[in-house]
Amino acid sequence: MNDRSNMVKVAVVGGEGIGPEVTAQSQRVLNWFSANRGVPMVLRAAQYGLIPYLATGKVMPPDTVEAMEEADAILWGATGGPETKEVPPAARKAGSLLGLRSKYDLYANLRPIVAHPALSDSAPLKASVLDGVDFVIIRELTSGIYFGEPRGIETLPDGQRRGFNTEQYTTEQVRRVARSAFELARTRRNKVCSVDKANVLEASVLWREEVIALHEAEFSDVELTHMYVDNAAMQIVREPRQFDVMVTGNIFGDILSDEAGMLTGSIGMLPSASLGSDKRGLYEPVHGSAPDIAGKDIANPLASILSVAMMLRYTFDLEEEASRIERAVKKVLADGYRTADIYEPGKMRIGTAAMGDAVLASL
Ligand code: IPM
Ligand code: MG
């Protein structure tokens, strides 16, 4: 038996919409690793969203804050959706996912883009373009226009209203996320493409200069290229195989990762890890809460299950166990289980829980 003090603490926060049901499946996968592979973990489930709000007046009640505070890894489901319009914006903001990313300084958001051949006919691009696509987007997650000040909505003297935000990056904010990208590239095909809008934005001019400086100082063995974000958006659908590791700022990464998600055949296939400077991480599917299909057992749990693989890789340091999950998912897909795109519910051939069964049977 493992000594409890060596246990990795995992907070499981299903959240809203389809979050709880997809997370229930990935939690089964975690339990399997604990029971069958001796992976030392203690799980603590905690609530987020409308239900705790109605009970406590907080979307993120104290028990959930405590569970996350003591956790080494957070398995997050999803947040948001029309069913939660009862929650006033201020209450939602007080317990937001953005706040969490910022609080734990999870500045590097890894979003792997792998095209699964079994899903290529549900992808909108030709199989010949998708074949062999395997890259990772590293999105800076705690700065940029999402957090820059000043921001607001003001009324001008002439009565018009003006909304404004600030795109910004500091030397250290760029360097630490670029470092994550170079280090990851060294474990892969050794290529980094840095994406910015340096032909227009000063924040991007600085971004590019800092990436180049770090590359020269410490990572000259890694191949580095630069791309403007508009061109990157085009290249992702034109020739996605050219990418190995793409590193970019917060909002460009938000947009490009949804676009790149379509290469996998379904945004329901995309896991993510949000990491800081230690082993603590927040692991979540890239998809949202999809309230229109919540509770129907048709949401695709694979993105959440693949997020558990990332957790085993980055927080537990268990590469072999992480690959075991990824192989199981590949096998399930190759065996012909077609998952729904969470935005096209009619397509799912087997239910959410049955998909969990299939993955467990393939581990
Ligand atoms: C994402 C989401 C979030 C973001 C939303 C829910 C605030 O789109 O994780 O990509 O914009 O970061
Ligand atoms: Mg997004």
Side-chain angles (χ1 to χ4, degrees):
M1 226 29 245
N2 283 296
D3 172 1
R4 269 185 89 83
S5 61
N6 294 332
M7 294 278 182
V8 176
K9 297 197 176 84
V10 182
V12 180
V13 188
E16 301 169 287
I18 60 169
E21 60 202 90
V22 296
T23 308
Q25 300 312 313
S26 44
Q27 188 171 339
R28 289 173 73 200
V29 171
L30 273 172
N31 288 336
W32 186 94
F33 278 91
S34 160
N36 296 288
R37 304 285 303 164
V39 173
M41 65 178 86
V42 269
L43 305 188
R44 175 167 170 183
Q47 290 190 318
Y48 173 87
L50 177 63
I51 293 169
Y53 176 77
L54 295 176
T56 69
K58 290 195 159 88
V59 290
M60 203 180 280
D63 177 67
T64 305
V65 173
E66 188 191 291
M68 290 192 293
E69 203 58 49
E70 66 168 33
D72 304 295
I74 301 167
L75 180 63
W76 183 267
T79 168
E83 87 286 16
T84 60
K85 58 180 177 292
E86 298 93 316
V87 184
R92 189 160 275 288
K93 208 172 167 198
S96 74
L97 177 60
L98 295 188
L100 211 59
R101 293 168 175 173
S102 174
K103 178 177 177 192
Y104 296 123
D105 205 18
L106 303 170
Y107 58 83
N109 180 223
L110 276 57
R111 299 187 164 186
I113 309 294
V114 178
H116 295 278
L119 292 180
S120 65
D121 59 348
S122 47
L125 295 178
K126 288 201 268 297
S128 61
V129 174
L130 297 179
D131 191 31
V133 166
D134 179 356
F135 66 102
V136 180
I137 298 179
I138 299 194
R139 164 188 177 193
E140 198 291 326
L141 205 59
T142 53
S143 183
I145 199 167
Y146 273 56
F147 293 93
E149 298 282 348
R151 62 189 296 160
I153 300 176
E154 63 183 11
T155 303
L156 300 172
D158 69 358
Q160 288 200 74
R161 295 199 309 149
R162 172 176 173 265
F164 55 98
N165 292 84
T166 304
E167 170 70 339
Q168 51 130 44
Y169 273 105
T170 65
T171 300
E172 187 47 32
Q173 287 169 346
V174 178
R175 288 194 181 210
R176 64 185 188 169
V177 73
R179 177 179 301 283
S180 306
F182 288 128
E183 284 172 352
L184 180 64
R186 277 182 175 158
T187 69
R188 298 173 46 96
R189 301 195 303 280
N190 215 34
K191 282 169 35 167
V192 170
C193 176
S194 169
V195 173
D196 60 42
K197 189 69 185 173
N199 52 344
V200 180
L201 306 174
E202 282 77 6
S204 278
V205 171
L206 178 114
W207 175 283
R208 190 175 287 215
E209 287 174 0
E210 294 300 338
V211 170
I212 290 172
L214 180 69
H215 178 251
E216 278 173 8
E218 292 177 44
F219 295 98
S220 53
D221 56 302
V222 180
E223 183 186 323
L224 172 65
T225 54
H226 304 272
M227 215 176 253
Y228 296 138
V229 62
D230 47 350
N231 183 29
M234 182 177 76
Q235 297 298 335
I236 282 173
V237 291
R238 197 190 73 88
E239 180 48 65
R241 273 183 297 259
Q242 69 187 285
F243 299 115
D244 179 23
V245 175
M246 176 184 282
V247 63
T248 190
N250 206 339
I251 195 160
F252 297 157
D254 178 45
I255 298 165
L256 294 179
S257 60
D258 265 33
E259 184 196 3
M262 282 293 97
L263 307 175
T264 67
S266 160
I267 197 172
M269 293 299 302
L270 254 72
S272 83
S274 302
L275 306 172
S277 46
D278 53 21
K279 292 271 167 203
R280 187 202 279 267
L282 184 147
Y283 300 87
E284 55 170 327
V286 170
H287 64 69
S289 62
D292 51 328
I293 62 163
K296 297 184 179 162
D297 193 41
I298 55 172
N300 182 352
L302 292 180
S304 183
I305 290 173
L306 289 168
S307 300
V308 168
M310 298 189 83
M311 182 190 292
L312 293 179
R313 174 169 295 127
Y314 295 113
T315 294
F316 287 79
D317 243 333
L318 293 172
E319 175 58 40
E320 189 41 47
E321 307 297 350
S323 313
R324 181 183 290 268
I325 298 181
E326 288 159 354
R327 282 196 303 271
V329 167
K330 269 196 193 125
K331 178 168 187 305
V332 164
L333 294 175
D335 287 351
Y337 291 106
R338 282 278 303 285
T339 60
D341 184 322
I342 60 164
Y343 296 122
E344 291 173 75
K347 279 191 183 169
M348 186 86 160
R349 289 210 192 131
I350 68 169
T352 308
M355 185 63 85
D357 295 342
V359 172
L360 285 172
S362 307
L363 280 170

